[in-house]
Amino acid sequence: MRFSNSFLDEIRDRVNISDVIGKRVTWDRKKSNASKGDFWACCPFHGEKSPSFHCEDRKGRYHCFGCGVSGDHFRFLTDLDGMAFPEAVQQIADMAGVAMPQPDVQAERRERERASLQDVMEMATLFFQDRLQTAVGARARAYLRDRGLTGRTIETFRLGYAPDSRNALKEHLAAKGITKEQMEACGLVVYENVPLSYDRFRDRIMFPILSAREKVIAFGGRAMASDALAKYLNSNETELFHKGSVLYNFARARRATQSAGTVIAVEGYMDVIALYQAGVENAVAPLGTALTENQLELLWKMSSQPILCFDGDGAGIRAANRAADLALPHIKPGRSVSFALLPDGKDPDDLVRHEGRAPFDRVLSEAKPLASMIWSRETASTAFDTPEKRAELENRLRQIVSVIGDESVRRFYQQDMRDRLNAFFQPQFQRGGNTMPNRNFGRGAPAQVRNGQRGQGNASSGNSGGISDRLSQSGLVKGYLATPALRESVLALTIVNHPQLLLEEYDEIAAIDYENRDLQRLWSQVLTYAAENAADLSRDGLMERMEAQGFGALVKAMNQQVRNARLWTATEQAAPEDAREGYIQALSLHKRTKALRWQKIDLEREIAEATEVGDGERVGLLMRALSEVQLEIGRMENQEAIIDGFGVMSGRVKGPAYGHG
């Protein structure tokens, strides 16, 4: 019996190859990484004492580096156990829970038709490629050139041009013996209120969409005319093409993911292509719609932690939140997503075309985990200044987390959200006489509060904010008053002293992730104040809020810190122009340092892995790279913003004019 490729693909995709092979071998615990679907064992095809047999669930393949055997699920069973191919298919189908197809003449005929339709799509692709290089494609070539694409990139992605004609492709295919029924089945011609079919794609740059087996199954067309009804137009659903189950650039990105370690989902064709040309080959895109569950499953086949990259504008944030809700029910141990948000008004194409790859790599290095994305969304725009609002937040987070299907992951998410809530509301415990009941949040609250040892207001104690002597000696208050890192103080204090900057770059400023826990809490209050008083932001009003929330001592300590360091742009007296320039430079240094720290963590992990498998050469290379990163971190941490001409715009001179008070 002949099996269709679609049936074989389906059962292969449903069964991890490690589950097939694991019944016949014992995985090596040291070399294998089950969470990544990466396994090593002694080869079952030849005798050996050290593991050289490797299988990868993402690829659905095995290979022995000792004897050279390789194959897929079926090949393993036929070669090792001597099964006939139909018997191997039966075993994999049973494991997948899929019924074997019955002999079906019509099904075999449809399979032959699918193959013939792929031939038609290949002819159409060649036609579009050819037209791009002729005189009729001159305007399209100029557009691609203006977008920064090289001839090699255009050829790699097989880009083409559909002429501005109702019959150009139709007549070309008819001359090659293709019937109108085949053209219609491929979605290449359409009927709209007329008895005759005509070309679906006209005056458009054409992007071939490939299957996992790298066969052309559909097209995306970008209109050249500014008044076109649809800027981008995809093929309609056909026997070959189901839009919600396909990712643009899937096959090429799957190969690149093996070395890159993850896959990046961006929003459009041009983003994928521009990133590829910049050296980022592991990017894919949904086809003009929001990410679907099927597409998310495809991402997880390539990587246990795909990065979903969205534009930083309002639409991008909404799309990211939809993706977070889509992923949440399906996460498992070792399987999640993270979110990289681009600067507002930028997409990956813009970023790498104008600034190169480095800014995009920085965006990826600052990707937020799923839990942080959920938390940021739920706490971004509401003031939680009453017990009722805090209880509402807790209930909402509990409901959101409850959809997680895996019990252990759900339990850890519940704990994570409790910890975040406790940290978020902890300043309420630190103001004597205004403590918040800890019925909902007590599990993560400080020991003094859980034991009923709340600070009593005592103005005569001499402690700021009326904190009692006993409470002022606690770890809670000592930790609260601990001065943050200098650069974090500069960033936070500049905004406190010049809150109007929030109106200019709100999204980027609001997204800063402070390491100091006290600054995290202060920052939440700053953003809450800004949201409530957007029409009338003032330093005096913000400082009044900070004092009322118990942050007066922290702000005073940061003020002294930046004055001692002579970083005058963060002070109240700095002219707005100086404050803005200093803030931009400090933020750039902060982001770069953070990216380097993540790079250091990754290198340390890779060194540990290489050491474990005894790869001395790779360890040496990684150690040298780590040393360079550490030196760069040290340099960045000791470098502060230098504002050329500070004082000129404001009419003041540096330093002595402000003193050290």
Side-chain angles (χ1 to χ4, degrees), residues 3-127:
F3 301 100
S4 69
N5 288 332
S6 57
F7 173 74
L8 296 178
D9 288 343
E10 179 185 2
I11 61 175
R12 247 192 311 246
D13 288 345
R14 285 175 177 248
V15 177
N16 288 330
I17 193 169
S18 61
D19 293 335
V20 179
I21 298 174
K23 295 182 178 184
R24 302 299 305 274
V25 303
T26 300
W27 301 122
D28 183 272
R29 291 185 180 181
K30 290 184 178 180
K31 294 184 71 174
S32 299
N33 189 332
S35 66
K36 293 185 176 181
D38 188 83
F39 296 90
W40 291 84
C42 291
C43 180
F45 292 96
H46 80 288
E48 61 176 359
K49 294 183 179 180
S50 59
S52 60
F53 180 86
H54 179 232
C55 96
E56 236 179 319
D57 284 337
R58 282 178 294 181
K59 289 183 177 180
R61 303 283 297 178
Y62 65 85
H63 178 74
C64 177
F65 292 90
C67 66
V69 298
S70 61
D72 62 3
H73 304 56
F74 311 117
R75 183 68 177 268
F76 182 80
L77 295 176
T78 57
D79 286 4
L80 188 65
D81 291 344
M83 288 185 183
F85 183 71
E87 188 180 357
V89 173
Q90 175 75 66
Q91 184 165 320
I92 302 301
D94 290 345
M95 294 177 70
V98 175
M100 288 282 282
Q102 298 301 313
D104 186 340
V105 174
Q106 290 185 344
E108 292 182 4
R109 177 179 56 79
R110 283 198 302 273
E111 187 66 23
R112 289 195 297 273
E113 288 175 354
R114 282 175 59 87
S116 66
L117 293 181
Q118 288 177 343
D119 292 338
V120 175
M121 296 298 281
E122 180 63 23
M123 293 180 193
T125 303
L126 292 171
F127 171 80

Side-chain angles (χ1 to χ4, degrees), residues 124-409:
T125 303
L126 292 171
F127 171 80
F128 293 138
Q129 285 185 280
D130 177 69
R131 291 304 178 273
L132 179 64
Q133 301 306 323
T134 64
V136 298
R139 193 159 57 99
R141 291 197 305 276
Y143 171 84
L144 294 174
R145 204 164 46 242
D146 290 343
R147 295 296 294 265
L149 300 191
T150 65
R152 182 173 182 178
T153 299
I154 291 169
E155 181 63 30
T156 296
F157 285 88
R158 304 191 68 186
L159 305 187
Y161 174 67
D164 189 9
S165 164
R166 294 172 65 87
N167 298 301
L169 176 63
K170 178 181 174 182
E171 291 175 355
H172 173 80
L173 294 176
K176 292 183 174 295
I178 306 304
T179 66
K180 68 173 186 175
E181 289 79 14
Q182 288 175 306
M183 296 183 213
E184 291 169 11
C186 288
L188 296 172
V189 297
V190 293
Y191 294 89
E192 286 183 11
N193 304 319
V194 292
L196 294 176
S197 62
Y198 56 92
D199 290 357
R200 176 180 177 85
F201 298 101
R202 304 178 303 283
D203 193 25
R204 290 180 180 270
I205 292 173
M206 300 300 289
F207 299 82
I209 299 167
L210 309 185
S211 69
R213 294 178 175 272
E214 300 191 77
K215 301 290 186 182
V216 180
I217 56 174
F219 292 99
R222 200 275 186 197
M224 293 298 298
S226 58
D227 59 351
L229 292 178
K231 182 178 178 181
Y232 280 95
L233 179 67
N234 286 328
S235 294
N236 53 316
E237 299 268 322
T238 67
E239 179 73 18
L240 297 177
F241 177 56
H242 304 287
K243 183 165 62 174
S245 300
V246 178
L247 289 167
Y248 183 68
N249 198 45
F250 173 77
R252 187 177 290 108
R254 180 169 58 179
R255 290 193 296 271
T257 296
Q258 306 312 311
S259 57
T262 189
V263 61
I264 306 158
V266 293
E267 294 192 42
Y269 304 127
M270 285 301 300
D271 294 328
V272 168
I273 295 172
L275 287 173
Y276 176 88
Q277 187 166 282
V280 183
E281 300 183 15
N282 55 322
V284 297
L287 304 175
T289 60
L291 198 68
T292 67
E293 284 190 14
N294 287 338
Q295 289 169 332
L296 190 56
E297 287 293 338
L298 286 176
L299 292 174
W300 276 324
K301 284 185 181 299
M302 289 188 275
S303 170
S304 61
Q305 185 86 14
I307 299 173
L308 310 184
C309 182
F310 294 93
D311 298 351
D313 56 14
I317 298 296
R318 289 191 293 273
N321 286 327
R322 285 195 299 270
D325 289 334
L326 179 72
L328 205 58
H330 306 290
I331 59 177
K332 297 177 181 179
R335 186 173 95 161
S336 189
V337 294
S338 55
F339 295 82
L341 301 178
L342 293 154
D344 193 2
K346 297 279 189 179
D347 57 32
D349 180 20
D350 295 327
L351 206 59
V352 299
R353 182 152 43 103
H354 298 300
E355 302 178 50
R357 176 176 175 170
F360 184 73
D361 286 340
R362 286 197 294 272
V363 168
L364 295 184
S365 72
E366 296 171 2
K368 287 185 176 182
L370 176 57
S372 295
M373 193 70 192
I374 296 291
W375 172 261
S376 297
R377 179 184 70 186
E378 297 304 318
T379 57
S381 58
T382 304
F384 301 100
D385 51 1
T386 67
E388 293 85 355
K389 289 182 179 179
R390 296 173 196 132
E392 181 185 8
L393 173 62
E394 184 187 36
N395 287 335
R396 191 161 64 246
L397 289 170
R398 185 185 295 116
Q399 291 170 3
I400 290 170
V401 170
S402 69
V403 306
I404 298 174
D406 184 272
E407 183 179 353
S408 62
V409 173

